[in-house]
Amino acid sequence: MTSPAFSSAAPASSASSASPVSSTAAGAPVGKAAGDAYILAPGSRTVAPVAVQSTSGSVSGAANVLSGGSTRISGANSYLVLDFGKEVGGLVTLRFAGASGAGQRIGLAFTESSQYVGPVSDLSSGAAFSGTGTDGAIYATVGGAGTYTMPADKLRGGFRYLTLFLDSSGWVDVNGVSLAFTGAAGASDMRAYANYFYSSDPELNRIWYAGAYTVQMDTIDPAQGRVWPPPSSGWENNGVVGVGSSVLVDGAKRDRSVWSGDMGVSLPTAYVSTGDLVSTRNSLTTLYQHQSSSGELEYGGPEFNFYGSDTYHTWALIGTATYYTYSADKAWLDSVWSQYQRGMGFITAKIDGTGLLNVTGTSDWARGGQGGENIEANALLYKALTGGAALATAEGDSTDASAWQQRAATLKSAANQRLWNPAVGLYRDNPTSGLYPQDGNSLASWYGLTDGPAKDTAISRALTARWNDHGANTPEKDGAIGTFPGSMEVQAHFTADDDLGGLTLIRREWGGMLDSPIGTGSTFWEGLRYDGSFDYGGTYMSLAHGWGTGPTSALTFSVLGLAPTGNGGYSFAPHPGDLAHAEGTITLPQGTVTGSWDYDASAGTLATTLTAPAGATGTVGVPTYGSAAVTVAVDGQTVWSGGAFHSVPGVTGGSSDGGYVRLTGVGSGSHTITATAVGAPTPFSTSVNAAAAGNPLPPGYTLCAAEGGSCTPSGSQVMAYGAGAYLFKAVSGTTTCGAAGFGGADPAHGVLKSCYLAPAGGPAGWTRCADEKGSCAVSGTREVAYGANGAFRFQTVTGHVACTNDAFGDDPLFNTVKGCYTAPDGAPAGGGWSLCASEHNGCAATGVQPIAFGANGSYWYGTSNGTTTCDDDTLGVDPIYLVGKNCYTRTGPPPGYPVTCAAENATCAVTGTRTIAYGADGDFAYRTVTGQAPCTNAAFGGDPLPNVAKACYLTS
């Protein structure tokens, strides 16, 4: 959490930070040492700077000090900036070879970012942030040869750059700089991680280990926390903020206290990497020791001792269940059980008559609009209730277990009834809100509040539509890019089996932080502005913040696929995406579980190895990516084929949910699991915006076959299959128009469907701006598509963007020459859209009519009934920042059905069997008929658009 909140406006930018997928070939597991090579933690508690970042004034022999030689700093305000090469923290010792005379003063200033280097430290104290004080610098008096070690209370918990400056008129020779490193408190060997992760993508490996190192930087001695209230100037880091020998806090530089919400992300990070659960337990114990008589838990622990956050209170309950799932620490659970029950009683007492939590403790993670029947808070409470029921069962408390399960079921039903908006494909922030938040929607999917996979998919698609070239937008925080809710969104994409989306977001947002020239190159930030600059006041922002480390646990739990399930159980369900190989471990109370997989998308094969300790039982999931023909063998014996389970020793059962074949009761020991006829994730998005609108047929697609026929593309081309709702895939040869060609999926049940081919080149109506590997320049801010023949990646660009796989995060169409295309001015491309209002004015819609809000190719799509104010406050999202926008309504025939066959109340005659679309203005019903059908409400089972003249339409 941040304390206090701060935001500032910033312009959009087009800089891209995506990195390519490694071409490392798949092969046998390479072992823990391959992953350990990425560890950033130092091997010794004594560390030294590795480079000179810059100098100012008179500095001679600047680099000498790095190797024990003398560096002379002469004259007032001359300075030397030393670079430790990564985020570090602790107490600095300086060694001096001499000075020009008594009374010389050397100042020490500390910064995490290169953009703040100089004789003033970046901000870490609340007084500095509020404008009543400044961190400034600390000073050493030098009269000759000797040493200086900074006072213990002036510990600087997080910095990369140390500025040494002369605060007197003589000179000083410095011949040694070292740091007593204080991160990863309690670890005797900071590099001895309990677990590891390694994949065929070096960038993902860097990200996993940077997340682990961030959490190590946030693991501190409880007597080295931030003092509160803050001093009037400078900083004090000798506050007692917890129990034991180490605690997990929110930031290395700043706050340095226990915040339960931050632990919702940092706790899983610590578990999957270092395995440090002691610090987690100490942090939770600290919160329980300060529980109020009402049962409320602090949202900011000592020395803040802040109360008044229903969400952070609930995060503490979730953290309790999470810790127990990882540790099976029954003795600790017994010790806090009565307090946990009081904490659950405190929050469930706020459930109102609808079955939803009604938030009155509105402090939160720096988002806006908290309060009422909030989706974020209710998703958290759902997770707390289901986790609490498991804890109650462990405690032998059947009464609470049953009551909490029932409350969870009621809450889930109420949230889906009162908060879900099917027109947008997201949950509202509360029943009266036009805001559709990143945090609440991501949590609803991640924590299982959704009531079906269709909603998980809708959420994933709608959230993706908000991305820019720096990451995922957070509308509940003024359009910033929040790494805390972003960590939740990463998990949501994998929950929805949107593996490519999850990996692309990790590379774009977290890879961008690592590669940013103003970052630490080693740790993850508290947040970004929309243009990729620092949030939270810039110089005050933490660049090593545990709440921003979500990809580390996602890469283990989802991409590798290993996760603990409690009671000695585990699951192993890989999400390969565009990777060829991944391997790693998790640690259960019984011991280490090791998993490894190799995926060949072109061959449709997945080969995994699994080793589990005695007493552990697992569930293994094999991704199908839509293929209904997957065959699975365990230790050489076929256990799944023809859509059915075949009993083999060591596996108790099997089933399929369409996305995975799941095997239960897999025993301990070592196993090999192989699968053939595995599908491949769709390596493109037909349109980010179209996905948000429910996958309508994009403009320019041409009919190529009715269902049962076949389509022959020209080279590699995207084919669509459906009727009103569509599936898309890239094809490169004659393909049957039917469910079999699309993994057995049916996008429109009960009607005869058709197939269409995408237009060659760019999206219909867009203008080519660059060839592949060129540079696309735009006027102002505009949506740019990269790809070919219907397969594209999209970005909102200001200025220019490289027309490359790297810049757009992935190859949208393999083995095909691509290009970049800019969106047209005005309405969305392809026709059928009419201007209904300029920004901030009312857009009048008829019935439940589709609307588009945006400009220059970047749009939010939804529906409206009546008059809707055309602005981001009302619609809950700004699809293109700092650009004037308009609203448009959909008119005319439905995409793919251009031929009018009858007006309303007339008869539509067809040859043979055809599907007819009936409706108007973007709202249609579909029916398959033979011969003829009346074009009436009765014939189509209802009125798709009351009080509007309708018609019937055919594909051709």
Side-chain angles (χ1 to χ4, degrees):
M1 194 169 185
T2 184
S3 170
F6 181 90
S7 65
S8 60
S13 167
S14 64
S16 175
S17 58
S19 296
V21 180
S22 169
S23 60
T24 302
V30 296
K32 189 172 185 294
D36 286 355
Y38 289 89
I39 291 176
L40 291 158
S44 166
R45 292 244 172 225
T46 301
V47 298
V50 297
V52 173
Q53 193 268 348
S54 62
T55 64
S56 179
S58 179
V59 178
S60 59
N64 292 349
V65 68
L66 301 176
S67 57
S70 288
T71 295
R72 177 165 293 184
I73 306 174
S74 305
N77 301 318
S78 293
Y79 64 77
L80 165 73
V81 181
L82 296 172
D83 181 2
F84 282 79
K86 59 188 172 187
E87 179 91 353
V88 294
L91 297 170
V92 170
T93 294
L94 303 179
R95 189 172 70 246
F96 304 106
S100 59
Q104 297 300 310
R105 285 221 314 171
I106 282 283
L108 294 80
F110 306 84
T111 60
E112 290 185 299
S113 171
S114 59
Q115 70 179 7
Y116 302 126
V117 297
V120 178
S121 300
D122 56 14
L123 302 181
S124 71
S125 80
F129 181 82
S130 65
T132 61
T134 178
D135 277 29
I138 58 175
Y139 296 89
T141 300
V142 186
T147 61
Y148 163 83
T149 298
M150 51 193 290
D153 63 312
K154 297 302 180 185
L155 168 80
R156 199 73 183 188
F159 66 95
R160 174 173 170 172
Y161 302 97
L162 168 65
T163 299
L164 302 179
F165 63 96
L166 198 61
D167 192 46
S168 53
S169 58
W171 55 263
V172 169
D173 285 345
V174 184
N175 66 347
V177 179
S178 64
L179 175 77
F181 186 84
T182 55
S188 57
D189 182 349
M190 296 178 287
R191 297 179 59 84
Y193 285 14
N195 298 304
Y196 82 103
F197 172 86
Y198 179 80
S199 77
S200 52
D201 184 353
E203 182 178 32
L204 294 179
N205 301 339
R206 289 176 61 221
I207 289 168
W208 191 93
Y209 283 91
Y213 185 57
T214 300
V215 170
Q216 285 187 287
M217 290 300 304
D218 297 341
T219 302
I220 71 170
D221 184 322
Q224 294 177 343
R226 175 180 172 185
V227 170
W228 191 264
S232 58
S233 63
W235 66 92
E236 295 286 342
N237 281 326
N238 61 351
V240 177
V241 298
V243 301
S245 60
S246 61
V247 287
L248 180 57
V249 299
D250 68 332
K253 178 186 81 169
R254 202 228 58 234
D255 285 12
R256 294 180 64 82
S257 189
V258 176
W259 300 82
S260 52
D262 301 47
M263 290 174 63
V265 173
S266 61
L267 192 170
T269 300
Y271 165 74
V272 302
S273 57
T274 65
D276 177 15
L277 293 179
V278 172
S279 301
T280 292
R281 183 186 65 209
N282 290 339
S283 295
L284 291 168
T285 299
T286 298
L287 294 175
Y288 280 114
Q289 285 188 349
H290 291 82
Q291 187 176 30
S292 73
S293 59
S294 68
E296 183 179 8
L297 295 164
E298 294 176 334
Y299 71 87
E303 290 193 346
F304 294 111
N305 299 116
F306 290 157
Y307 296 89
S309 173
D310 288 348
T311 53
Y312 268 49
H313 171 93
T314 309
W315 276 115
L317 301 178
I318 293 171
T320 302
T322 303
Y323 169 73
Y324 184 73
T325 297
Y326 296 164
S327 68
D329 187 350
K330 184 64 162 51
W332 180 82
L333 180 63
D334 292 344
S335 73
V336 301
W337 181 242
S338 63
Q339 293 171 278
Y340 179 89
Q341 289 173 302
R342 291 201 303 274
M344 189 67 85
F346 169 82
I347 198 66
T348 55
K350 298 189 179 189
I351 295 176
D352 63 22
T354 70
L356 292 175
L357 170 66
N358 188 356
V359 173
T360 58
T362 57
S363 293
D364 206 346
W365 63 266
R367 80 186 316 270
Q370 186 52 268
E373 295 170 337
N374 173 266
I375 180 59
E376 177 209 5
N378 276 281
L380 290 171
L381 183 55
Y382 179 77
K383 177 67 171 178
L385 287 165
T386 55
L391 293 183
T393 299
E395 286 290 310
D397 182 352
S398 59
T399 300
D400 276 339
S402 176
W404 294 340
Q405 284 284 21
Q406 181 57 50
R407 282 187 178 272
T410 300
L411 187 153
K412 182 172 187 172
S413 176
N416 283 281
Q417 179 181 358
R418 292 175 57 79
L419 298 175
W420 179 256
N421 185 346
V424 178
L426 292 169
Y427 292 95
R428 299 179 183 275
D429 205 40
N430 58 60
T432 61
S433 176
L435 173 70
Y436 297 88
Q438 180 189 27
D439 58 7
N441 279 282
S442 299
L443 287 168
S445 184
W446 182 20
Y447 283 166
L449 185 67
T450 56
D451 55 6
K455 285 184 180 176
D456 294 324
T457 298
I459 288 170
S460 179
R461 288 173 173 170
L463 293 178
T464 300
R466 296 171 169 177
W467 294 356
N468 73 0
D469 47 339
H470 296 289
N473 176 254
T474 308
E476 64 271 30
K477 196 181 185 303
D478 302 321
I481 297 175
T483 59
F484 185 38
S487 290
M488 305 169 199
E489 181 176 331
V490 166
Q491 307 282 357
H493 289 297
F494 290 116
T495 299
D497 295 336
D498 179 15
D499 300 349
L500 292 177
L503 290 169
T504 298
L505 179 56
I506 289 172
R507 293 176 181 126
R508 182 175 301 183
E509 188 167 325
W510 281 265
M513 280 185 273
L514 282 187
D515 294 337
S516 171
I518 62 173
T520 69
S522 56
T523 52
F524 293 128
W525 310 353
E526 191 172 9
L528 295 73
R529 296 302 300 157
Y530 191 77
D531 65 346
S533 62
F534 294 152
D535 200 1
Y536 299 99
T539 180
Y540 185 66
M541 193 183 80
S542 166
L543 296 191
H545 223 68
W547 77 5
T549 62
T552 298
S553 62
L555 288 169
T556 291
F557 290 158
S558 294
V559 176
L560 172 60
L562 279 178
T565 57
N567 298 319
Y570 66 92
S571 65
F572 182 37
H575 288 255
D578 56 12
L579 298 176
H581 176 78
E583 62 183 87
T585 59
I586 59 171
T587 304
L588 302 181
Q590 301 96 317
T592 298
V593 181
T594 303
S596 173
W597 54 257
D598 292 286
Y599 174 54
D600 186 332
S602 61
T605 59
L606 180 73
T608 70
T609 62
L610 172 68
T611 301
T617 303
T619 298
V620 172
V622 175
T624 67
Y625 288 124
S627 171
V630 171
T631 296
V632 182
V634 176
D635 298 330
Q637 299 186 68
T638 299
V639 69
W640 183 274
S641 65
F645 172 69
H646 309 287
S647 181
V648 301
V651 181
T652 61
S655 62
S656 176
D657 57 11
Y660 278 79
V661 172
R662 299 190 187 275
L663 309 176
T664 57
V666 179
S668 60
S670 295
H671 303 281
T672 60
I673 302 103
T674 58
T676 58
V678 177
T682 305
F684 63 92
S685 55
T686 57
S687 168
V688 169
N689 296 325
N695 268 355
L697 190 68
Y701 276 58
T702 56
L703 181 71
C704 63
E707 189 167 12
S710 61
C711 293
T712 302
S714 176
S716 291
Q717 200 168 5
V718 173
M719 188 170 85
Y721 164 63
Y726 299 88
L727 297 172
F728 300 87
K729 67 180 292 185
V731 297
S732 55
T734 301
T735 303
T736 300
C737 180
F742 286 81
D746 187 344
H749 290 278
V751 296
L752 185 71
K753 290 162 277 290
S754 300
C755 286
Y756 306 79
L757 287 172
W766 293 46
T767 302
R768 191 177 183 94
C769 62
D771 295 335
E772 186 173 5
K773 299 183 180 178
S775 179
C776 172
V778 304
S779 175
T781 299
R782 190 171 299 273
E783 192 87 344
V784 174
Y786 167 67
N789 306 342
F792 301 100
R793 294 289 187 184
F794 293 80
Q795 281 193 41
T796 302
V797 171
T798 302
H800 61 87
V801 66
C803 191
T804 63
N805 295 334
D806 293 1
F808 283 81
D810 204 350
D811 188 337
L813 194 62
F814 298 116
N815 302 316
T816 301
V817 176
K818 291 164 280 289
C820 282
Y821 304 83
T822 57
D825 294 328
W833 292 96
S834 300
L835 179 69
C836 68
S838 58
E839 192 168 9
H840 307 303
N841 292 304
C843 172
T846 54
V848 183
Q849 189 174 13
I851 62 171
F853 169 56
N856 301 348
S858 185
Y859 296 95
W860 170 88
Y861 291 93
T863 59
S864 178
N865 187 354
T867 299
T868 299
T869 302
C870 182
D871 59 32
D872 56 317
D873 290 336
T874 301
L875 298 174
V877 62
D878 189 337
I880 183 167
Y881 277 72
L882 305 179
V883 173
K885 290 165 279 290
N886 295 308
C887 279
Y888 303 85
T889 52
R890 185 88 198 189
T891 56
Y897 287 73
V899 177
T900 303
C901 70
E904 187 174 5
N905 297 319
T907 297
C908 177
V910 301
T911 301
T913 300
R914 301 287 296 276
T915 295
I916 301 173
Y918 169 66
D921 296 343
D923 203 337
F924 298 89
Y926 294 81
R927 177 186 170 191
T928 298
V929 302
T930 301
Q932 64 181 29
C935 191
T936 62
N937 295 331
F940 284 82
D943 189 341
L945 201 60
N947 304 315
V948 174
K950 290 166 281 290
C952 285
Y953 301 90
L954 297 173
T955 56
S956 62

